[in-house]
Amino acid sequence: MGLFDLFSRKTKAQPPQESKEANESLGVYSGMRVEVTTDAGQLLFVAKLLGLHGDKAELHQYSESEIAEDTESIHARIRGYSDYERKAVYMEGVITPGPKHIWQVEELTVVHVGNDRAFFRLDTNLEATATMFSGLSMGEKPCKLLNISVGGANVGSEYKYHEGDKFLLKVRLLEERPESAMFAEIVRVIEKDDGKFEYGCRFIGLTETDQEQITKNIFTAQRQKRGRS
């Protein structure tokens, strides 16, 4: 897909191929991205839910883990996000670590389905740029990355944009790693008292590899942030 095709076309996200196995009434399907936490709310890792069969499944981890692989089975909370319904699905289950960062899940139960944010959001205050490719605001402008998740970000700017505008967000999440570049669409506009603006954005056109890389960078940044506090 070309750059200008991405910015001119607006398509509704479609269910992943594996969603044929889904229990659609509950919004759970094989291939769903999930965030795994302890009962106390400690973030453990982010994974893909696969092999869903009844109350059993597998978690294929693609972020670094906060717990050792030799840990015995633990009760965990699993919060998933439906890419095509854009809903959060809250689950519980017993997870057991296995080889190659694959966790077995048993007693998987859906607790709640909602429209709230589904993934861990890291607060930041990083210098970034937003590049528009059309309109009066065309060109690269400075902005601030206020927070980021695997699905989107909040951006602060003194420039006026509009809901539905698409732009290229560039930011260095980690000093020792290359600059990240993500296409984003503005879904929420908040005008601040000082005349500046805050934009809620969702990422568009991300590949699975892009999502995994963003997740790894977020977890690494989170660790570094905790180490400095």
Side-chain angles (χ1 to χ4, degrees), residues 81-101:
Y81 182 65
S82 171
D83 284 308
Y84 59 100
E85 291 187 348
R86 304 202 177 281
K87 291 184 178 180
V89 182
Y90 293 82
M91 297 166 276
E92 294 181 355
V94 177
I95 64 172
T96 305
K100 298 181 179 179
H101 301 290

PDB file of all heavy atoms in Angstrom, residues 81-101:
ATOM      1  N   TYR A  81      -8.332  -6.941  23.589  1.00  0.00           N
ATOM      2  CA  TYR A  81      -8.877  -5.859  22.782  1.00  0.00           C
ATOM      3  C   TYR A  81      -9.284  -6.403  21.430  1.00  0.00           C
ATOM      4  O   TYR A  81      -8.483  -7.008  20.719  1.00  0.00           O
ATOM      5  CB  TYR A  81      -7.843  -4.756  22.600  1.00  0.00           C
ATOM      6  CG  TYR A  81      -8.352  -3.576  21.809  1.00  0.00           C
ATOM      7  CD1 TYR A  81      -9.373  -2.786  22.320  1.00  0.00           C
ATOM      8  CD2 TYR A  81      -7.828  -3.269  20.566  1.00  0.00           C
ATOM      9  CE1 TYR A  81      -9.851  -1.696  21.603  1.00  0.00           C
ATOM     10  CE2 TYR A  81      -8.302  -2.181  19.840  1.00  0.00           C
ATOM     11  CZ  TYR A  81      -9.308  -1.402  20.371  1.00  0.00           C
ATOM     12  OH  TYR A  81      -9.790  -0.334  19.649  1.00  0.00           O
ATOM     13  N   SER A  82     -10.558  -6.209  21.071  1.00  0.00           N
ATOM     14  CA  SER A  82     -11.066  -6.637  19.785  1.00  0.00           C
ATOM     15  C   SER A  82     -10.766  -5.564  18.751  1.00  0.00           C
ATOM     16  O   SER A  82     -11.293  -4.459  18.801  1.00  0.00           O
ATOM     17  CB  SER A  82     -12.581  -6.876  19.863  1.00  0.00           C
ATOM     18  OG  SER A  82     -13.107  -7.101  18.580  1.00  0.00           O
ATOM     19  N   ASP A  83      -9.871  -5.871  17.797  1.00  0.00           N
ATOM     20  CA  ASP A  83      -9.470  -4.895  16.781  1.00  0.00           C
ATOM     21  C   ASP A  83     -10.627  -4.490  15.884  1.00  0.00           C
ATOM     22  O   ASP A  83     -10.661  -3.386  15.362  1.00  0.00           O
ATOM     23  CB  ASP A  83      -8.348  -5.465  15.919  1.00  0.00           C
ATOM     24  CG  ASP A  83      -7.015  -5.455  16.639  1.00  0.00           C
ATOM     25  OD1 ASP A  83      -6.647  -4.390  17.151  1.00  0.00           O
ATOM     26  OD2 ASP A  83      -6.353  -6.500  16.708  1.00  0.00           O
ATOM     27  N   TYR A  84     -11.578  -5.387  15.672  1.00  0.00           N
ATOM     28  CA  TYR A  84     -12.646  -5.061  14.736  1.00  0.00           C
ATOM     29  C   TYR A  84     -13.910  -4.572  15.421  1.00  0.00           C
ATOM     30  O   TYR A  84     -14.721  -3.874  14.825  1.00  0.00           O
ATOM     31  CB  TYR A  84     -12.959  -6.248  13.817  1.00  0.00           C
ATOM     32  CG  TYR A  84     -13.381  -7.527  14.499  1.00  0.00           C
ATOM     33  CD1 TYR A  84     -14.719  -7.887  14.583  1.00  0.00           C
ATOM     34  CD2 TYR A  84     -12.438  -8.401  15.028  1.00  0.00           C
ATOM     35  CE1 TYR A  84     -15.113  -9.068  15.181  1.00  0.00           C
ATOM     36  CE2 TYR A  84     -12.833  -9.592  15.630  1.00  0.00           C
ATOM     37  CZ  TYR A  84     -14.156  -9.918  15.700  1.00  0.00           C
ATOM     38  OH  TYR A  84     -14.531 -11.098  16.306  1.00  0.00           O
ATOM     39  N   GLU A  85     -14.100  -4.886  16.705  1.00  0.00           N
ATOM     40  CA  GLU A  85     -15.239  -4.333  17.437  1.00  0.00           C
ATOM     41  C   GLU A  85     -14.833  -3.161  18.322  1.00  0.00           C
ATOM     42  O   GLU A  85     -15.672  -2.444  18.842  1.00  0.00           O
ATOM     43  CB  GLU A  85     -15.886  -5.421  18.303  1.00  0.00           C
ATOM     44  CG  GLU A  85     -16.584  -6.498  17.483  1.00  0.00           C
ATOM     45  CD  GLU A  85     -17.360  -7.452  18.372  1.00  0.00           C
ATOM     46  OE1 GLU A  85     -17.166  -7.404  19.603  1.00  0.00           O
ATOM     47  OE2 GLU A  85     -18.156  -8.232  17.840  1.00  0.00           O
ATOM     48  N   ARG A  86     -13.511  -2.985  18.504  1.00  0.00           N
ATOM     49  CA  ARG A  86     -12.962  -1.913  19.328  1.00  0.00           C
ATOM     50  C   ARG A  86     -13.572  -1.913  20.729  1.00  0.00           C
ATOM     51  O   ARG A  86     -14.069  -0.898  21.215  1.00  0.00           O
ATOM     52  CB  ARG A  86     -13.135  -0.554  18.639  1.00  0.00           C
ATOM     53  CG  ARG A  86     -12.508  -0.528  17.261  1.00  0.00           C
ATOM     54  CD  ARG A  86     -12.195   0.859  16.777  1.00  0.00           C
ATOM     55  NE  ARG A  86     -11.536   0.799  15.477  1.00  0.00           N
ATOM     56  CZ  ARG A  86     -10.256   0.524  15.285  1.00  0.00           C
ATOM     57  NH1 ARG A  86      -9.496   0.284  16.323  1.00  0.00           N
ATOM     58  NH2 ARG A  86      -9.743   0.485  14.071  1.00  0.00           N
ATOM     59  N   LYS A  87     -13.556  -3.091  21.342  1.00  0.00           N
ATOM     60  CA  LYS A  87     -14.049  -3.245  22.703  1.00  0.00           C
ATOM     61  C   LYS A  87     -13.015  -3.962  23.554  1.00  0.00           C
ATOM     62  O   LYS A  87     -12.256  -4.786  23.059  1.00  0.00           O
ATOM     63  CB  LYS A  87     -15.357  -4.043  22.709  1.00  0.00           C
ATOM     64  CG  LYS A  87     -16.548  -3.320  22.104  1.00  0.00           C
ATOM     65  CD  LYS A  87     -17.805  -4.156  22.236  1.00  0.00           C
ATOM     66  CE  LYS A  87     -19.016  -3.413  21.674  1.00  0.00           C
ATOM     67  NZ  LYS A  87     -20.262  -4.222  21.809  1.00  0.00           N
ATOM     68  N   ALA A  88     -13.018  -3.626  24.837  1.00  0.00           N
ATOM     69  CA  ALA A  88     -12.163  -4.317  25.787  1.00  0.00           C
ATOM     70  C   ALA A  88     -12.912  -5.521  26.357  1.00  0.00           C
ATOM     71  O   ALA A  88     -14.103  -5.426  26.659  1.00  0.00           O
ATOM     72  CB  ALA A  88     -11.758  -3.371  26.915  1.00  0.00           C
ATOM     73  N   VAL A  89     -12.213  -6.643  26.474  1.00  0.00           N
ATOM     74  CA  VAL A  89     -12.798  -7.857  27.030  1.00  0.00           C
ATOM     75  C   VAL A  89     -11.964  -8.265  28.244  1.00  0.00           C
ATOM     76  O   VAL A  89     -10.768  -8.537  28.119  1.00  0.00           O
ATOM     77  CB  VAL A  89     -12.814  -9.009  26.000  1.00  0.00           C
ATOM     78  CG1 VAL A  89     -13.476 -10.233  26.597  1.00  0.00           C
ATOM     79  CG2 VAL A  89     -13.523  -8.584  24.722  1.00  0.00           C
ATOM     80  N   TYR A  90     -12.589  -8.285  29.401  1.00  0.00           N
ATOM     81  CA  TYR A  90     -11.901  -8.619  30.644  1.00  0.00           C
ATOM     82  C   TYR A  90     -12.131 -10.090  30.981  1.00  0.00           C
ATOM     83  O   TYR A  90     -13.272 -10.533  31.067  1.00  0.00           O
ATOM     84  CB  TYR A  90     -12.406  -7.737  31.789  1.00  0.00           C
ATOM     85  CG  TYR A  90     -12.043  -6.289  31.627  1.00  0.00           C
ATOM     86  CD1 TYR A  90     -12.803  -5.446  30.820  1.00  0.00           C
ATOM     87  CD2 TYR A  90     -10.934  -5.756  32.271  1.00  0.00           C
ATOM     88  CE1 TYR A  90     -12.468  -4.109  30.666  1.00  0.00           C
ATOM     89  CE2 TYR A  90     -10.591  -4.420  32.120  1.00  0.00           C
ATOM     90  CZ  TYR A  90     -11.362  -3.611  31.320  1.00  0.00           C
ATOM     91  OH  TYR A  90     -11.027  -2.285  31.160  1.00  0.00           O
ATOM     92  N   MET A  91     -11.030 -10.819  31.183  1.00  0.00           N
ATOM     93  CA  MET A  91     -11.102 -12.245  31.470  1.00  0.00           C
ATOM     94  C   MET A  91     -10.249 -12.581  32.695  1.00  0.00           C
ATOM     95  O   MET A  91      -9.428 -11.771  33.139  1.00  0.00           O
ATOM     96  CB  MET A  91     -10.582 -13.047  30.256  1.00  0.00           C
ATOM     97  CG  MET A  91     -11.394 -12.863  28.990  1.00  0.00           C
ATOM     98  SD  MET A  91     -10.530 -13.480  27.509  1.00  0.00           S
ATOM     99  CE  MET A  91      -9.503 -12.054  27.099  1.00  0.00           C
ATOM    100  N   GLU A  92     -10.455 -13.776  33.210  1.00  0.00           N
ATOM    101  CA  GLU A  92      -9.624 -14.326  34.268  1.00  0.00           C
ATOM    102  C   GLU A  92      -9.276 -15.757  33.901  1.00  0.00           C
ATOM    103  O   GLU A  92      -9.998 -16.409  33.140  1.00  0.00           O
ATOM    104  CB  GLU A  92     -10.356 -14.297  35.613  1.00  0.00           C
ATOM    105  CG  GLU A  92     -10.635 -12.906  36.143  1.00  0.00           C
ATOM    106  CD  GLU A  92     -11.342 -12.946  37.494  1.00  0.00           C
ATOM    107  OE1 GLU A  92     -11.694 -14.067  37.945  1.00  0.00           O
ATOM    108  OE2 GLU A  92     -11.540 -11.879  38.079  1.00  0.00           O
ATOM    109  N   GLY A  93      -8.156 -16.238  34.429  1.00  0.00           N
ATOM    110  CA  GLY A  93      -7.771 -17.613  34.165  1.00  0.00           C
ATOM    111  C   GLY A  93      -6.519 -17.982  34.932  1.00  0.00           C
ATOM    112  O   GLY A  93      -5.881 -17.132  35.568  1.00  0.00           O
ATOM    113  N   VAL A  94      -6.183 -19.252  34.885  1.00  0.00           N
ATOM    114  CA  VAL A  94      -4.967 -19.765  35.525  1.00  0.00           C
ATOM    115  C   VAL A  94      -3.934 -19.971  34.425  1.00  0.00           C
ATOM    116  O   VAL A  94      -4.174 -20.701  33.459  1.00  0.00           O
ATOM    117  CB  VAL A  94      -5.237 -21.083  36.260  1.00  0.00           C
ATOM    118  CG1 VAL A  94      -3.944 -21.632  36.856  1.00  0.00           C
ATOM    119  CG2 VAL A  94      -6.283 -20.876  37.361  1.00  0.00           C
ATOM    120  N   ILE A  95      -2.766 -19.309  34.552  1.00  0.00           N
ATOM    121  CA  ILE A  95      -1.735 -19.403  33.528  1.00  0.00           C
ATOM    122  C   ILE A  95      -0.533 -20.184  34.041  1.00  0.00           C
ATOM    123  O   ILE A  95      -0.157 -20.081  35.204  1.00  0.00           O
ATOM    124  CB  ILE A  95      -1.309 -18.013  33.033  1.00  0.00           C
ATOM    125  CG1 ILE A  95      -0.652 -17.198  34.161  1.00  0.00           C
ATOM    126  CG2 ILE A  95      -2.503 -17.257  32.463  1.00  0.00           C
ATOM    127  CD1 ILE A  95      -0.040 -15.882  33.665  1.00  0.00           C
ATOM    128  N   THR A  96       0.053 -20.986  33.150  1.00  0.00           N
ATOM    129  CA  THR A  96       1.222 -21.808  33.482  1.00  0.00           C
ATOM    130  C   THR A  96       2.283 -21.584  32.419  1.00  0.00           C
ATOM    131  O   THR A  96       2.002 -21.733  31.227  1.00  0.00           O
ATOM    132  CB  THR A  96       0.854 -23.298  33.521  1.00  0.00           C
ATOM    133  OG1 THR A  96      -0.229 -23.493  34.436  1.00  0.00           O
ATOM    134  CG2 THR A  96       2.042 -24.137  33.962  1.00  0.00           C
ATOM    135  N   PRO A  97       3.524 -21.222  32.818  1.00  0.00           N
ATOM    136  CA  PRO A  97       4.567 -20.955  31.820  1.00  0.00           C
ATOM    137  C   PRO A  97       5.019 -22.227  31.114  1.00  0.00           C
ATOM    138  O   PRO A  97       5.008 -23.315  31.685  1.00  0.00           O
ATOM    139  CB  PRO A  97       5.706 -20.354  32.654  1.00  0.00           C
ATOM    140  CG  PRO A  97       5.488 -20.885  34.036  1.00  0.00           C
ATOM    141  CD  PRO A  97       4.004 -21.012  34.195  1.00  0.00           C
ATOM    142  N   GLY A  98       5.403 -22.074  29.855  1.00  0.00           N
ATOM    143  CA  GLY A  98       5.926 -23.176  29.071  1.00  0.00           C
ATOM    144  C   GLY A  98       7.114 -22.710  28.266  1.00  0.00           C
ATOM    145  O   GLY A  98       7.560 -21.569  28.379  1.00  0.00           O
ATOM    146  N   PRO A  99       7.669 -23.572  27.419  1.00  0.00           N
ATOM    147  CA  PRO A  99       8.832 -23.193  26.610  1.00  0.00           C
ATOM    148  C   PRO A  99       8.481 -22.175  25.543  1.00  0.00           C
ATOM    149  O   PRO A  99       7.321 -22.028  25.151  1.00  0.00           O
ATOM    150  CB  PRO A  99       9.264 -24.533  25.988  1.00  0.00           C
ATOM    151  CG  PRO A  99       8.014 -25.364  25.972  1.00  0.00           C
ATOM    152  CD  PRO A  99       7.241 -24.957  27.184  1.00  0.00           C
ATOM    153  N   LYS A 100       9.493 -21.457  25.076  1.00  0.00           N
ATOM    154  CA  LYS A 100       9.384 -20.502  23.976  1.00  0.00           C
ATOM    155  C   LYS A 100       8.350 -19.399  24.262  1.00  0.00           C
ATOM    156  O   LYS A 100       7.663 -18.919  23.366  1.00  0.00           O
ATOM    157  CB  LYS A 100       9.024 -21.212  22.670  1.00  0.00           C
ATOM    158  CG  LYS A 100      10.074 -22.230  22.228  1.00  0.00           C
ATOM    159  CD  LYS A 100       9.696 -22.890  20.924  1.00  0.00           C
ATOM    160  CE  LYS A 100      10.764 -23.890  20.495  1.00  0.00           C
ATOM    161  NZ  LYS A 100      10.412 -24.571  19.221  1.00  0.00           N
ATOM    162  N   HIS A 101       8.258 -19.012  25.541  1.00  0.00           N
ATOM    163  CA  HIS A 101       7.373 -17.912  25.954  1.00  0.00           C
ATOM    164  C   HIS A 101       5.908 -18.177  25.609  1.00  0.00           C
ATOM    165  O   HIS A 101       5.158 -17.262  25.254  1.00  0.00           O
ATOM    166  CB  HIS A 101       7.822 -16.599  25.333  1.00  0.00           C
ATOM    167  CG  HIS A 101       9.216 -16.199  25.678  1.00  0.00           C
ATOM    168  ND1 HIS A 101       9.580 -15.793  26.943  1.00  0.00           N
ATOM    169  CD2 HIS A 101      10.353 -16.161  24.924  1.00  0.00           C
ATOM    170  CE1 HIS A 101      10.869 -15.514  26.960  1.00  0.00           C
ATOM    171  NE2 HIS A 101      11.360 -15.735  25.753  1.00  0.00           N
TER     172      HIS A 101
END
